[in-house]
Amino acid sequence: MRSRKPLSTSNESSAVAHKALRLLLALTLGWLLLISAACAPSSGILAGGAWESTGLQHEHIRTLAVNAADPVQLYAGDAHDGIFASNDAGQHWQPRNQGLPLPLAVNALSFDATERRLYAATDHGLFVSSDGGGHWRAASAGLPADNCTALAFDLERASVLYVGTAHHGVFVSSDGGEHWQTANRGLPPASPINDLAYVSGQRQLWAATVGGIYRSDNGGQSWRPVSRGLPANITVYRVRPAALSGGEPQLVFAGTDQGIFLSHDDGASWQRNTEGLARLSVRAILIDFRTPTTLYVGTDIGVLRSNDSGQVWSAIIGSGGLPKNRQVYALALGASNYGQLFAAVDDVYVFPGSSGGWNTRAFVPLLLVIAFIILLYWLTRSNRRHRRGLLQATRPAAEPKRQLPSFQSPRQQERDAPSGQGQ
């Protein structure tokens, strides 16, 4: 009995150690999973991967448009070669210039509120297509011979649209572009219009110019400057009210040659972002309509993202796939379920690309989890072998087998008896 006490004590200690080890490894594994989840990107299009070229390397794309009725249909406007279209989310492109006078610089592309007519603001005037870019016709009756630079649409009245020009201000049409009227009262004369934005619910029309930002509260009938807080001699490339994408009603973003500015009071005052973006040129602003607090900007160092309405900025994962020190002119969400981000950097780049799932950062936590599972299995097997060894070492030595008497019949006994016995 004394020899079995150490075995019982050893078994109990081994079992306790084994349970503690398993608990420790389980807690560690759970901690790793939580860390991995916390570090995972919050947006589907940022789950991993890198930027990839879509195949327009020899072009100079300046504007992008997506067909909201079918977001795999993309359109790209070039600085020389007109318009290109893709029916497969940028995998292949074809020129769509029938009816356009080439060479042609396309400054803005946009669908109207019906999503059936596509408009192109070019250096040869305004053009419209009703068949997805298959055929184009001029829509410049009443417009001066000028470079059309910007477009804006009334989403509540599909026939109302606005066009900005390089030297003649803003014009408005109430019949889909068949006829135009000036809408310049209050704008500085001959000031180039770089961008327009119209908030239908508030009847606010915004204009980004080389001399600041202007706003009209009556659909373009009159304008007033809203540039307090902007530096002197600033060039504003883009103005985007957050309300256009369902964001805060009075929040407005401005992309300039001196970084990005924010206004929380409908343009009454502007503040520069606090993260030192003053030296960046911001020519593209995209508000994610699915999450209006998510914002993308195209700069001369790549694409930046903010998840808190422009307070904190970070580079998009995989941004190294974009050409270095090149201006990003336009941004658009497209492809199936708007799952990819497109950027015009001369060529059109897409994020994530076709190899989007192979992100080494995403695989590091997975490899750690696999390693700990293997370690747990190895330690469990090792512990079992150790217990078996203890059992064999403490088992009593086997007693020699006793020889059982064999049964013999009387006749066999007489035959085996020594001679002379029983006589």
Side-chain angles (χ1 to χ4, degrees):
M1 296 296 291
R2 290 180 181 178
S3 62
R4 293 183 180 180
K5 283 185 179 181
L7 174 61
S8 176
T9 303
S10 176
N11 288 344
E12 292 176 359
S13 300
S14 178
V16 171
H18 180 62
K19 291 180 180 179
L21 178 62
R22 293 186 63 181
L23 178 60
L24 176 61
L25 288 175
L27 291 174
T28 305
L29 181 60
W31 175 79
L32 281 173
L33 291 174
L34 288 175
I35 293 297
S36 301
C39 295
S42 59
S43 176
I45 67 170
L46 302 176
W51 289 96
E52 288 185 359
S53 168
T54 64
L56 290 174
Q57 295 96 333
H58 303 295
E59 304 300 333
H60 302 84
I61 304 302
R62 295 295 181 263
T63 182
L64 296 171
V66 176
N67 186 352
D70 187 5
V72 299
Q73 294 184 2
L74 306 178
Y75 298 86
D78 190 75
H80 303 290
D81 297 330
I83 296 169
F84 295 85
S86 173
N87 292 322
D88 53 12
Q91 296 182 40
H92 304 88
W93 295 91
Q94 304 84 31
R96 292 287 181 85
N97 294 317
Q98 188 171 346
L100 297 177
L102 295 179
L104 183 76
V106 181
N107 302 309
L109 276 172
S110 183
F111 282 89
D112 67 358
T114 68
E115 299 295 340
R116 292 193 297 266
R117 292 191 295 269
L118 178 62
Y119 289 83
T122 79
D123 61 347
H124 284 18
L126 185 69
F127 294 85
V128 60
S129 172
S130 299
D131 59 0
H135 302 82
W136 295 90
R137 63 178 179 86
S140 302
L143 290 177
D146 197 357
N147 187 354
C148 292
T149 56
L151 290 167
F153 297 86
D154 189 336
L155 299 182
E156 295 179 352
R157 297 176 296 167
S159 60
V160 176
L161 63 151
Y162 301 87
V163 63
T165 66
H167 304 98
H168 295 83
V170 178
F171 292 80
V172 59
S173 172
S174 58
D175 54 10
E178 298 297 329
H179 303 88
W180 295 90
Q181 296 177 338
T182 59
N184 292 325
R185 188 158 61 95
L187 288 176
S191 178
I193 306 297
N194 293 326
D195 191 28
L196 291 172
Y198 186 76
V199 183
S200 300
Q202 304 170 13
R203 293 200 68 195
Q204 285 184 346
L205 181 61
W206 297 78
T209 77
V210 296
I213 299 174
Y214 292 79
R215 193 185 76 202
S216 171
D217 297 325
N218 49 22
Q221 296 180 31
S222 60
W223 296 84
R224 64 186 181 91
V226 285
S227 299
R228 187 166 66 90
L230 296 178
N233 301 320
I234 193 173
T235 296
V236 182
Y237 296 117
R238 292 289 180 267
V239 58
R240 282 293 178 270
L244 279 176
S245 302
E248 297 179 28
Q250 293 188 318
L251 178 60
V252 188
F253 303 98
T256 77
D257 61 347
Q258 301 180 43
I260 189 164
F261 290 79
L262 285 73
S263 174
H264 294 275
D265 50 15
D266 260 345
S269 61
W270 295 88
Q271 301 83 37
R272 193 194 304 274
N273 178 268
T274 59
E275 290 201 337
L277 304 182
R279 297 182 179 180
L280 298 184
S281 175
V282 179
R283 290 179 178 260
I285 299 176
L286 175 64
I287 304 171
D288 193 334
F289 66 93
R290 300 164 301 180
T291 310
T293 56
T294 298
L295 187 70
Y296 305 93
V297 295
T299 75
D300 50 1
I301 63 169
V303 179
L304 303 181
R305 181 186 77 248
S306 172
N307 293 325
D308 55 5
S309 297
Q311 299 302 315
V312 178
W313 295 90
S314 62
I316 290 182
I317 298 172
S319 59
L322 289 176
K324 295 183 178 180
N325 301 319
R326 296 267 291 278
Q327 181 68 52
V328 178
Y329 293 96
L331 294 169
L333 285 172
S336 178
N337 297 320
Y338 293 95
Q340 291 178 301
L341 180 64
F342 296 84
V345 195
D346 286 338
D347 185 7
V348 177
Y349 288 78
V350 58
F351 181 89
S354 59
S355 60
W358 298 95
N359 181 13
T360 55
R361 294 185 183 182
F363 275 95
V364 170
L366 179 60
L367 292 175
L368 288 175
V369 169
I370 293 174
F372 268 88
I373 291 176
I374 294 174
L375 178 62
L376 175 61
Y377 175 78
W378 180 81
L379 289 176
T380 302
R381 291 292 302 272
S382 177
N383 187 270
R384 288 177 180 174
R385 289 196 298 268
H386 179 66
R387 292 179 62 186
R388 286 198 296 267
L390 289 177
L391 287 172
Q392 293 176 0
T394 56
R395 181 180 295 169
E399 296 179 0
K401 294 183 179 179
R402 291 180 296 173
Q403 186 69 29
L404 295 176
S406 61
F407 175 79
Q408 292 181 329
S409 64
R411 184 173 296 178
Q412 289 176 328
Q413 292 178 3
E414 291 177 358
R415 187 176 61 245
D416 297 338
S419 61
Q421 185 177 352
Q423 295 182 357

